[in-house]
Amino acid sequence: VEQVLKAGQAAQRGAKHQRVELEFDGLVRDCLELVRTRHHLQAKALRYDNAATNGNPPRVFGDAEELRTAVSNLIDNAVKYSGDKVDVAVRVAADQKNVVLQVQDRGVGIPPEELKRIFRRFYRVSNRTLAHVKGTGLGLFIVRSIARKHGGKVFAESAGEGKGTTFTLELPRSATSVNGA
């Protein structure tokens, strides 16, 4: 029910949101801890690399709750689709224009022909070995909707079944983050 409500909110255009400047690194760390606790994971199962700071943590302008939802969905999916051994790498990087989050798993992978479809509402890759993985087919739709609302984008890469998946979320970097103010 929560996912259906979030999907409805995420798809709404013109709705009022609490947009503030956020330190993206801190938001990602919070989401990592939430997922680690939810799935009872060891510290080494979720690795974090922040290649973005140079003493100036990247900031984005947006709705904190929505961005937490997007980041948590990506990390949660990586864990759920990892198979027996969870090994997820999360990385934040930034350039002058964007803050980039990459979530990479070594799990079940996605057939290349499915990569564009996975962001559709209620879409799930048909795979009998994944029948035990619960989901509504809304998580990635929500992530894409939130990314677009924030002027960003999300996409997935996979070499195919059994070869893991990398999700990349790109968001515009806030002006103060770029200028160092």
Side-chain angles (χ1 to χ4, degrees), residues 39 41 45 76-88 105-109 129-130 132-133 162 164-165:
H39 292 280
L41 297 172
D76 198 53
N77 274 0
V79 171
K80 288 193 316 189
Y81 293 102
S82 282
D84 295 334
K85 185 177 188 292
V86 177
D87 182 12
V88 176
D105 66 60
R106 299 179 191 275
V108 299
T129 60
L130 299 178
H132 69 284
V133 178
T165 306

Side-chain angles (χ1 to χ4, degrees), residues 115-133:
L115 288 172
K116 292 212 187 268
R117 295 184 196 133
I118 59 175
F119 295 99
R120 292 181 186 161
R121 190 186 312 236
F122 300 116
Y123 188 82
R124 294 192 73 198
V125 174
S126 57
N127 184 332
R128 278 185 234 134
T129 60
L130 299 178
H132 69 284
V133 178

Side-chain angles (χ1 to χ4, degrees), residues 44-166:
K44 64 183 178 180
L46 288 176
R47 294 176 316 220
Y48 181 62
D49 174 26
N50 181 346
T53 62
N54 290 342
N56 186 20
R59 296 179 175 277
V60 296
F61 191 71
D63 182 296
E65 184 178 336
E66 285 188 341
L67 291 173
R68 275 191 197 90
T69 296
V71 172
S72 292
N73 273 350
L74 291 176
I75 299 169
D76 198 53
N77 274 0
V79 171
K80 288 193 316 189
Y81 293 102
S82 282
D84 295 334
K85 185 177 188 292
V86 177
D87 182 12
V88 176
V90 178
R91 183 173 193 265
V92 172
D95 60 25
Q96 287 296 314
K97 293 182 179 181
N98 296 306
V99 176
V100 179
L101 169 73
Q102 286 190 314
V103 179
Q104 179 179 30
D105 66 60
R106 299 179 191 275
V108 299
I110 301 171
E113 64 275 8
E114 302 279 342
L115 288 172
K116 292 212 187 268
R117 295 184 196 133
I118 59 175
F119 295 99
R120 292 181 186 161
R121 190 186 312 236
F122 300 116
Y123 188 82
R124 294 192 73 198
V125 174
S126 57
N127 184 332
R128 278 185 234 134
T129 60
L130 299 178
H132 69 284
V133 178
K134 294 179 182 175
T136 59
L138 289 172
L140 293 175
F141 168 78
I142 293 168
V143 172
R144 185 186 66 181
S145 297
I146 291 170
R148 286 179 173 173
K149 248 192 229 183
H150 286 80
K153 63 183 179 179
V154 63
F155 57 92
E157 299 169 281
S158 178
E161 290 185 65
K163 298 184 178 172
T165 306
T166 300

